[in-house]
């Protein structure tokens, strides 16, 4: 029953081929490998070799006496530390690249967005007056790098948060200091025999997550914009139909934009195109999976092949000549899948090798040469193709809504602001806003919770911003097009038409969730909607989360004041006390709760009620869906049913 596993028509179609070809996918393995119920609920402690101790009901404490609460809190904190470490190590590499570029040691990279460089310089106390771009870039890179190992004081970016938020963090003692320091301290605190108070452990978990959101990830986004350009809206396409039968298909997958930026350049190199032709191909076609895809989509319009659960099935088309991977979210299963076909898996990071794959190490000092070598390897592999079958589904999309662009859309170059959005939230045209982000998880039907939540929100006049694999799910279902405006509530539609933005805004990759923090800060400090992020009528969602990074993101959302609903299930379900600490407890501390709600319909209802309660607290007019329904162009907030999507009369289209 492929339909129960995914709503992506391309995946449904290719599953039969994958099965016939003997490919095992995550969908199949999820059926035979059920999660261990004890570990799944956070009730297994494996932090020392007396255990693992499984707290099952009969056993109420571990051998050392650790309680279920302490164990569940430790497990959650460790997940968050790993997520923070992953994003932040990515950010660190970006800082290294900026330094190398500024020193002229990485000649293929230059500062592309000088204005952003100067803005970031201010955040980092780097002087700009009378200095060259190189000098500023070198100092920005060096200062950014120092934030990871900072031993004294607190992260400089904390000052970018609303004043009231900074105060809350100070009062709680959770203002992040060095990024690496918070991660190390989590590992220390959760080592056998250290922090044994769940509340204290969870406070530090928030601090660690804040070091991600207002540290490593935020710097990563900033430096990517400086080096590769701040995104502006770009039209593109998505899903397996973007693969080409008669061209060399190179799929980039992972997270860091450094190599993939060069892949974009190399894929249009005339010499390499000629070389591809000499092997019988018509050209070179680049596409992406996961967040590498989002990075080069928002800056270059490179098409999206799919999201997390698409990776093995893309290979099953038999059309992928090389899948080029770097770090994070790369299933080891792609290698086994690739061995059934001609596909070459090319690993590029010294941090992430896969047994059996080809390793071509990326070196930022010779970035373009590495990219060309990879493309050449893919071209050489083109003649080895066997049977190719590409499900013919393509959706159209618009992406690239950086917070700079959203501000610009609301007032032009000289008057950019968040006033129009704030005013329209205040007057009730827009009920509120939501960030819907995060992974796929084969424990739920792929893309279904993602798409359901986004559709419900815009129908209910909630503006949606999206990143990561949710953004790709939306792309594959035609939800990132301006036409979707017709299916938004009347008030939201009117505002979107006036400002000229679609109701679902694709902001970028997972590290770019920090763009959401910046938007929220601008909205909170613009006036009219309180003074802190927690005052705003907003909500966060990660409906199909699976990675530790998603938990770090969710936690920094909450610690920044955004009540957040994670789908699938709860990693602390075993402990009612920990569940209470991160819901009611965190609401008292940071003004927002962290919910794990597997029922996505319920999650949306709760979030809408939460948004309405925030409106009420701000003394705004009560939201009335009919209030702006009088205009001649009013269209009821119903979106097209799936059958109509399937007929291709919406954005989704069969390629002829
Ligand atoms: Fe990975 Fe960023 Fe999750 Fe997708 S959304 S599965 S983390 S690619 Ni961040």
């Amino acid at each position: 029953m492929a339909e129960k596993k995914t709503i992506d028509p391309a995946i449904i179609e290719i599953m039969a081929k994958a099965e016939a070809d003997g490919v095992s996918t995550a969908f199949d393995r999820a059926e035979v490998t059920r999660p261990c119920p004890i570990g799944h609920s956070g009730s297994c402690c494996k932090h020392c070799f007396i255990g693992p101790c499984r707290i099952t009901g009969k056993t109420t404490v571990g051998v050392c006496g650790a309680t279920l609460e302490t164990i569940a809190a430790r497990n959650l904190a460790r997940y968050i530390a790993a997520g923070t470490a992953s994003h932040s190590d990515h950010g660190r590499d970006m800082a290294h690249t900026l330094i190398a570029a500024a020193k002229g040691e990485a000649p293929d990279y230059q500062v592309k967005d000088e204005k952003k460089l100067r803005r970031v310089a201010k955040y980092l106390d780097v002087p700009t007056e009378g200095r060259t771009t190189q000098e500023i870039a070198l100092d920005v890179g060096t200062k950014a790098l120092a934030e990871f190992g900072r031993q004294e004081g607190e992260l400089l970016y904390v000052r970018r948060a609303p004043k009231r938020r900074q105060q809350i963090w100070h009062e709680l003692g959770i203002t992040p200091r060095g990024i690496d320091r918070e991660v190390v301290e989590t590992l220390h605190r959760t080592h056998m025999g250290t922090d044994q108070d769940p509340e204290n452990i969870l406070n530090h978990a928030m601090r660690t997550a804040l070091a991600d959101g207002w540290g490593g990830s935020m710097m990563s986004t900033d430096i990517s914009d400086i080096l590769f350009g701040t995104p502006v809206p770009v039209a593109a396409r998505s899903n397996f139909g973007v693969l080409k039968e008669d061209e060399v298909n190179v799929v980039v997958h992972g997270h860091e934009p450094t190599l993939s930026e060069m892949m974009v350049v190399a894929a249009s190199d005339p010499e390499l195109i000629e070389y591809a032709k000499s092997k019988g191909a018509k050209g070179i076609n680049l596409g992406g999976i996961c967040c590498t895809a989002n990075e080069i989509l928002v800056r270059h319009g490179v098409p999206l092949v799919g999201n997390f659960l698409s990776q093995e099935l893309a290979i099953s088309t038999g059309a992928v000549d090389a899948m080029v991977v770097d770090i994070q979210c790369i299933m080891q299963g792609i290698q086994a899948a690739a061995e059934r076909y001609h596909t070459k898996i090319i690993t590029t990071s010294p941090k992430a090798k896969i047994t059996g794959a080809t390793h071509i190490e990326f070196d930022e000092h010779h970035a373009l040469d590495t990219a060309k070598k990879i493309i050449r390897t893919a071209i050489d592999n083109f003649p080895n193709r066997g049977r190719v079958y590409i499900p013919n589904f393509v959706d159209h999309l618009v992406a690239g809504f950086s917070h700079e662009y959203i501000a610009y859309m609301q007032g032009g170059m000289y008057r950019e602001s968040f006033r129009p959005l704030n005013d329209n939230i205040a007057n009730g045209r827009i009920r509120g806003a939501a960030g819907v982000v995060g992974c796929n998880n084969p424990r739920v039907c792929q893309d279904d919770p993602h798409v359901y939540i986004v559709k419900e929100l815009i129908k209910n006049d909630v503006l949606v911003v999206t990143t990561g694999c949710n953004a790709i799910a939306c792309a594959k279902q035609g939800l990132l097009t301006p036409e979707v405006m017709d299916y938004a509530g009347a008030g939201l539609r009117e505002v979107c038409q006036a400002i000229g933005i679609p109701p679902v805004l694709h902001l970028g990759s997972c590290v770019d969730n920090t763009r959401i923090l910046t938007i929220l800060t601008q909205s909170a400090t613009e006036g009219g909607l309180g003074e802190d992020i927690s005052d705003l009528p907003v909500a966060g969602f990660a409906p199909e989360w699976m990675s530790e990074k998603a938990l770090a993101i969710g936690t920094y959302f909450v610690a920044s004041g955004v009540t957040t609903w994670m789908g699938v299930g709860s990693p602390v379900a075993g402990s009612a006390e920990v569940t209470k600490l991160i819901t009611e407890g965190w609401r008292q501390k940071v003004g927002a709760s962290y919910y794990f709600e597997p029922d996505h319909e319920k999650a949306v209802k709760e979030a809408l009620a939460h948004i309405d309660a925030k409106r009420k607290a701000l003394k705004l007019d009560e939201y009335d869906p009919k209030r702006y329904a009088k205009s001649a162009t009013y269209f009821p907030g119903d979106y097209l049913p799936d059958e109509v999507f399937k007929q291709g009369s919406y954005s989704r289209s069969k390629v002829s």
Side-chain angles (χ1 to χ4, degrees), residues 255 290-291 308 329 438-440 468-469 510 546-547 549 553:
H255 281 79
C290 284
C291 281
F308 178 67
C329 303
C439 324
N440 283 145
C469 287
C510 305
M546 63 85 200
S547 78
K549 292 178 294 168
I553 294 165

Side-chain angles (χ1 to χ4, degrees), residues 8 96 117 122 175 177 229 243 251 262 270 285 289 295 332 351 354 423 435 479 533 540 589 602 623 649:
D8 180 339
H96 278 301
L117 172 71
K122 276 213 185 81
T175 307
R177 302 157 299 179
L243 295 169
V251 176
M262 286 303 120
N285 181 38
I289 286 180
E295 295 274 3
Q332 193 165 352
K351 294 174 200 166
I354 302 175
D423 285 350
L479 284 170
I533 294 171
K589 283 177 195 263
K602 190 167 168 231
Y623 165 73
S649 57

Side-chain angles (χ1 to χ4, degrees), residues 482-493:
E483 299 101 287
V484 166
M485 202 116 65
D486 292 344
Y487 309 102
L492 174 62
R493 185 162 49 94

Side-chain angles (χ1 to χ4, degrees), residues 221 231 290-299 304 399-402 436-438 465-472 505-513 515-516:
T221 295
C290 284
C291 281
T292 301
N294 284 323
E295 295 274 3
I296 51 175
L297 163 75
V298 296
R299 295 194 178 87
L304 300 168
F401 292 91
S402 54
V436 193
V437 309
V465 292
T466 172
T467 62
C469 287
N470 175 275
I472 303 176
L505 302 170
H506 184 339
L507 263 53
S509 65
C510 305
V511 294
D512 292 338
N513 281 311
R515 296 191 200 277
I516 300 179

Side-chain angles (χ1 to χ4, degrees), residues 30 66 71 83 184 205 268 288-289 341 348 370 444 466 548 580 584 599:
I71 290 168
V184 168
S268 53
I289 286 180
Y341 304 93
T348 57
T370 318
V444 297
T466 172
E548 292 164 315
K580 201 168 163 198
E584 285 168 40
D599 179 345

Side-chain angles (χ1 to χ4, degrees), residues 34-317:
R34 304 309 301 172
C36 159
I38 303 160
H40 195 67
S41 63
S43 316
C44 173
C45 185
K46 54 184 181 62
H47 298 180
C48 82
F49 206 58
I50 306 171
C53 293
R54 307 177 328 151
I55 312 303
T56 57
K58 277 180 275 166
T59 319
T60 54
V61 291
V63 175
C64 70
T67 62
L68 178 56
E69 286 62 51
T70 301
I71 290 168
R74 275 182 192 158
N75 285 330
L76 179 60
R78 281 210 170 188
Y79 280 139
I80 291 165
T84 300
S86 305
H87 281 146
S88 297
D89 213 31
H90 166 172
R92 187 197 325 269
D93 281 349
M94 298 308 303
H96 278 301
T97 305
L98 181 61
I99 292 170
K103 286 184 175 166
E105 291 168 0
D108 300 323
Y109 300 110
Q110 284 91 33
V111 168
K112 275 226 181 106
D113 189 339
E114 172 113 26
K115 199 173 157 201
K116 180 118 189 189
L117 172 71
R118 287 174 184 273
R119 191 166 336 120
V120 172
K122 276 213 185 81
Y123 299 141
L124 293 171
D125 294 336
V126 170
T128 53
E129 272 301 303
R131 305 186 74 204
T132 66
T133 305
Q134 273 65 29
E135 286 167 344
I136 301 169
L138 182 58
D139 279 3
V140 164
T142 309
K143 273 263 187 150
L145 202 56
E147 292 294 276
F148 293 91
R150 174 185 276 282
Q151 302 298 322
E152 309 276 337
E154 46 196 47
L155 293 184
L156 293 169
Y157 270 20
V158 162
R159 298 179 301 194
R160 293 175 62 175
K163 288 266 165 322
R164 175 75 195 115
R165 189 61 16 196
Q166 294 178 43
Q167 216 180 341
I168 290 171
W169 295 337
H170 279 140
E171 282 162 12
L172 284 170
I174 61 167
T175 307
R177 302 157 299 179
I179 299 161
D180 295 350
R181 179 176 179 180
E182 306 309 355
V183 173
V184 168
E185 193 172 311
T186 301
L187 295 180
H188 177 195
R189 282 177 184 240
T190 54
H191 182 273
M192 195 275 146
T194 311
D195 201 351
Q196 295 162 32
D197 178 67
E199 192 176 345
N200 204 40
I201 293 168
L202 292 168
N203 279 350
H204 188 71
M206 280 200 278
R207 190 179 218 174
T208 306
L210 288 170
D212 177 359
W214 298 87
S217 278
M218 199 174 266
M219 290 199 292
S220 185
T221 295
D222 280 349
I223 297 173
S224 299
D225 286 353
I226 290 169
L227 282 172
F228 311 129
T230 302
V232 294
V234 57
R237 296 164 311 131
S238 70
N239 220 338
F240 285 2
V242 305
L243 295 169
K244 295 192 178 148
E245 200 149 351
D246 51 6
E247 294 193 14
V248 175
N249 290 308
V250 182
V251 176
V252 290
H253 171 23
H255 281 79
E256 288 183 348
T258 20
L259 171 62
S260 50
E261 278 284 321
M262 286 303 120
M263 296 289 289
V264 176
V265 179
S268 53
D269 181 282
E271 239 174 70
L272 284 172
I273 293 171
E274 274 314 304
Y275 185 56
K277 286 183 180 161
S278 78
K279 298 281 176 179
K282 284 205 175 130
I284 304 164
N285 181 38
L286 193 62
I289 286 180
C290 284
C291 281
T292 301
N294 284 323
E295 295 274 3
I296 51 175
L297 163 75
V298 296
R299 295 194 178 87
H300 304 285
V302 172
L304 300 168
V305 174
N307 48 3
F308 178 67
L309 280 174
S310 308
Q311 52 188 293
E312 292 163 308
L313 289 145
I315 293 170
S316 296
T317 60

Side-chain angles (χ1 to χ4, degrees), residues 366-408:
H366 309 100
L368 188 54
D369 286 346
T370 318
K372 284 185 179 172
K373 190 173 170 194
I374 290 169
I375 299 256
R376 203 170 271 275
T377 308
I379 296 171
D380 287 336
N381 198 26
F382 177 78
N384 300 328
R385 279 190 191 176
R387 187 170 84 85
V388 166
Y389 177 75
I390 302 174
N392 221 357
F393 288 94
V394 175
D395 257 294
H396 299 275
L397 66 112
V398 179
F401 292 91
S402 54
H403 52 268
E404 285 87 347
Y405 192 80
I406 297 172
Y408 167 75

